[in-house]
Amino acid sequence: METSQAKRLWVIIAGLVAATIIVSGRLVVFQVLHGDEWADRGRNASNIEIIAKPNRGIIYDRNGAVLAGNGADYQIGSSPNLITDDRMGEVATALAPVLEQPVNTILDKLSLNRGFVMLSEGRVPAEKAEFIRSLEYEGIQVDPLARRIYPQGELMCHLLGYTDFDGIGGAGIEGYYQQQLAGEAASAEVTISPLEEQINVVAREGSDLVLTLDRTIQHVVEKKLREALAEFNSRSGSIIVMNPKTGAILAMANYPCYNPYTYFDAPKEVLNNPAVSRQFEPGSVMKLVTMAIALDAGAVGPQSTYYDAGIFEIGGIPIYNWDRSANGVTDMKTAIARSLNVGMATIASMTGAETYYNYMQRFGFGRRTGIDLMSEAAGQLLLPGNELWTEAALGTNSFGQGLAVTPLQMISSVAAIANKGYLMQPYLVEEIHAPNGEVFVHEPKVLAKPISEETANEVTAMAVYAVNTNLFYAQMDGYTVAGKSGTAQIPENGIYHPTDTIASFIGWLPADDPEVIILVKIDRPQNSPWGSETAAPTFSALAEELVVLLDIPPDAIRLQADIIAARSHN
């Protein structure tokens, strides 16, 4: 072997030895010194995190009509490296009018040297997404984004509430039942190795809700409310329809309303439900409660009388009748029928402050009813001992002034009179259908029994007398109606508005065995300020349709059925 060849051989051998030493050293570093670290990296490289998102529960009316369901909007993206330069102008020109962007803006995005760019600004509706998908351009991606849909439009807007783009309920039932409707997402780190067992990741789906509401009845109620507001030149109002025996809400309408699908376009003040969150001075509808308190406490009897001089002073404040009348010797049913402020202040004074306010709290004033809706207000009821309470408040509270209630509180308290003295908790969800197949059925809940059945019957008789003698607009052919109107002044900046009022009426029927109780509230009617001339006829017009929809027979037919039933038992 020549000397030059030997030298080359040794150089090669030396290189191989050096390479072996380097490789062996690196293996020692990787496998011994940093073995755990690289093992973790290896495991992570073969693992991915899987997130399973649940479907939000569906909301149905009591007949199975879908009120809130699940749909999708879309986002449009692109992989620019999949679009050839000669096609970019064509793609940009086609997408620009659909995405409502200039052609150059789309073209600039497509020209970016990126693996992915977002083309759409915000969400794209389904019809536009379908059109873009039909173009079949290479490199354009159409991805769905979950979206809550409301097939009934504005119907029941305040009851249903809305759900934002993150799946969070922001009002109404959507907000109150967020946890049940949303379900629970699941996530896990799973291996992509074919040699290892795969893990299933399953989310807990949202529960479905079945409401006490009927969309047909709700539609009729909302229609009657809009007609009344137009007739009496009012900008806002509420109607609540409830079963007084159970507390089930059959309809709840407010105006102005909004579309839950586009809630973000509505003024914020419209989103909350005025029937449960907006407080007002109720006025003379409170006289039914005051009479019930005085009778049940034994301060007066159904046949009692008082002398109405047209003025009654309490706490240094004079109280007058709404018409400035002086009626002389007056009995209890006349005090209710003629809606006499002096009469209510007189019997409240005879009852005494401590007893009167104890009863008011038993009727639920000053606290939330607990209805399954977001943002319920508690009302305002000052009690003796509060530094702001005065003796004069006893007199003004007796006819619905100087305290604040929500429409729901007011109808719930009067419903206790209609329901033999039992105060029921109002509710909207009849059934919850859990994803595991369980069904939870609501059981009506008695909140209190503020008065006896005897007292309730006595006040009901007075409310029937009031409708038959003075509240003619609330009468209905074939049905005995019990009810009371209210005309309340509106406090603004520490004083009462000189002309504007809140007109209301609460009535129930059949009076002796009520299937339905209705509250009508009309804000600032301009044609007439009186509840008897605005809210009462609205009640009557609505009730005439409800008795058909709810299959409530007239008194004569009920009486005949009772007679036949009694004979069959003999």
Side-chain angles (χ1 to χ4, degrees):
M1 181 179 296
E2 297 180 2
T3 304
S4 60
Q5 291 178 331
K7 287 181 179 180
R8 284 197 295 271
L9 179 60
W10 283 110
V11 169
I12 293 171
I13 293 172
L16 290 173
V17 170
T20 301
I21 292 173
I22 292 172
V23 171
S24 299
R26 295 301 294 169
L27 287 174
V28 171
V29 171
F30 288 146
Q31 295 186 8
V32 179
L33 299 181
H34 299 294
D36 293 341
E37 178 185 344
W38 285 101
D40 288 339
R41 290 190 184 185
R43 282 191 294 270
N44 291 336
S46 62
N47 290 348
I48 58 173
E49 184 179 20
I50 300 294
I51 299 176
K53 295 183 178 180
N55 290 314
R56 192 172 179 86
I58 309 301
I59 301 176
Y60 300 93
D61 83 344
R62 68 186 190 187
N63 297 317
V66 176
L67 306 177
N70 299 314
D73 287 333
Y74 296 84
Q75 61 182 11
I76 311 301
S78 173
S79 299
N81 54 1
L82 297 179
I83 303 176
T84 59
D85 292 342
D86 60 326
R87 297 292 302 275
M88 282 190 180
E90 178 187 344
V91 173
T93 301
L95 294 182
V98 184
L99 298 179
E100 299 180 3
Q101 298 178 42
V103 174
N104 288 339
T105 300
I106 301 293
L107 194 58
D108 288 343
K109 293 178 181 179
L110 295 177
S111 301
L112 293 173
N113 185 23
R114 295 180 186 173
F116 178 83
V117 294
M118 185 63 65
L119 298 180
S120 56
E121 297 175 352
R123 291 169 172 250
V124 173
E127 58 271 18
K128 288 188 176 182
E130 284 301 316
F131 174 77
I132 293 172
R133 190 180 281 116
S134 70
L135 297 177
E136 297 184 348
Y137 283 126
E138 187 76 15
I140 300 301
Q141 189 170 320
V142 180
D143 296 317
L145 299 170
R147 176 80 182 274
R148 195 68 158 164
I149 60 172
Y150 299 89
Q152 312 301 326
E154 291 191 1
L155 192 73
M156 305 185 191
C157 68
H158 289 109
L159 289 169
L160 295 174
Y162 61 89
T163 303
D164 66 19
F165 293 135
D166 294 322
I168 307 299
I173 291 170
E174 294 274 33
Y176 188 91
Y177 286 97
Q178 167 64 20
Q179 184 175 358
Q180 292 89 339
L181 286 166
E184 186 175 355
S187 64
E189 196 174 76
V190 301
T191 180
I192 58 175
S193 170
L195 302 177
E196 296 189 29
E197 182 181 356
Q198 303 298 307
I199 300 174
N200 291 325
V201 182
V202 181
R204 179 177 63 80
E205 298 294 328
S207 297
D208 296 335
L209 306 181
V210 178
L211 306 188
T212 58
L213 304 161
D214 180 325
R215 65 173 176 174
T216 302
I217 293 175
Q218 179 74 20
H219 173 75
V220 170
V221 171
E222 291 190 13
K223 179 173 177 287
K224 290 298 181 184
L225 176 60
R226 290 193 299 270
E227 290 174 351
L229 297 182
E231 180 180 357
F232 302 115
N233 196 16
S234 170
R235 295 183 179 180
S236 62
S238 300
I239 295 179
I240 302 175
V241 182
M242 185 168 72
N243 182 336
K245 297 176 182 177
T246 64
I249 301 296
L250 305 179
M252 182 183 287
N254 303 282
Y255 188 86
C257 204
Y258 67 96
N259 191 330
Y261 186 73
T262 55
Y263 72 92
F264 42 82
D265 289 334
K268 288 185 178 180
E269 61 271 16
V270 177
L271 297 179
N272 282 335
N273 185 344
V276 301
S277 63
R278 188 169 299 168
Q279 302 175 161
F280 72 109
E281 293 195 3
S284 293
V285 290
M286 184 63 73
K287 290 172 181 174
L288 291 175
V289 177
T290 295
M291 181 61 71
I293 292 172
L295 288 170
D296 201 73
V300 297
Q303 308 305 320
S304 296
T305 61
Y306 71 99
Y307 187 80
D308 188 333
I311 182 173
F312 181 81
E313 187 171 309
I314 182 170
I317 301 296
I319 288 175
Y320 302 92
N321 289 319
W322 62 274
D323 59 355
R324 290 300 193 267
S325 64
N327 300 279
V329 178
T330 306
D331 60 22
M332 296 297 104
K333 68 179 183 180
T334 302
I336 288 291
R338 297 197 57 186
S339 197
L340 300 175
N341 297 342
V342 168
M344 295 305 107
T346 299
I347 65 174
S349 178
M350 295 169 64
T351 303
E354 182 178 356
T355 300
Y356 182 82
Y357 288 103
N358 283 340
Y359 270 95
M360 287 289 281
Q361 291 178 88
R362 286 159 60 179
F363 268 105
F365 295 108
R367 68 170 182 267
R368 297 175 180 84
T369 67
I371 191 172
D372 43 352
L373 284 173
M374 276 189 75
S375 305
E376 183 184 11
Q380 295 178 358
L381 178 67
L382 293 178
L383 302 175
N386 186 295
E387 61 181 11
L388 298 178
W389 184 86
T390 64
E391 186 182 358
L394 176 62
T396 57
N397 291 173
S398 71
F399 53 87
Q401 198 174 77
L403 77 169
V405 303
T406 66
L408 182 66
Q409 279 181 322
M410 198 66 241
I411 191 175
S412 294
S413 65
V414 176
I417 297 172
N419 188 37
K420 312 300 182 186
Y422 289 96
L423 178 68
M424 307 301 295
Q425 183 176 60
Y427 68 99
L428 282 156
V429 172
E430 189 69 53
E431 296 178 356
I432 300 177
H433 293 243
N436 62 2
E438 287 187 88
V439 177
F440 302 93
V441 180
H442 179 90
E443 292 293 335
K445 180 180 179 182
V446 177
L447 294 177
K449 193 172 188 294
I451 56 174
S452 68
E453 181 176 342
E454 180 183 4
T455 298
N457 291 337
E458 291 167 351
V459 178
T460 294
M462 294 180 187
V464 171
Y465 179 77
V467 169
N468 290 339
T469 56
N470 286 308
L471 298 173
F472 304 114
Y473 291 116
Q475 292 179 347
M476 288 179 58
D477 290 340
Y479 296 87
T480 303
V481 175
K484 181 75 184 75
S485 64
T487 304
Q489 293 178 283
I490 302 174
E492 292 182 345
N493 302 318
I495 61 174
Y496 286 106
H497 194 282
T499 57
D500 287 356
T501 64
I502 292 177
S504 62
F505 183 86
I506 299 180
W508 61 99
L509 73 147
D512 62 314
D513 188 21
E515 297 293 331
V516 64
I517 183 168
I518 303 169
L519 174 144
V520 178
K521 173 177 172 281
I522 299 176
D523 303 329
R524 303 177 191 266
Q526 299 301 303
N527 298 14
S528 168
W530 308 111
S532 59
E533 296 178 357
T534 56
T538 302
F539 161 87
S540 180
L542 173 59
E544 285 179 356
E545 295 202 35
L546 291 183
V547 294
V548 176
L549 292 172
L550 294 171
D551 195 23
I552 302 174
D555 293 344
I557 295 177
R558 287 193 305 117
L559 179 60
Q560 185 179 16
D562 290 342
I563 293 173
I564 293 173
R567 288 175 177 172
S568 66
H569 286 295
N570 294 333

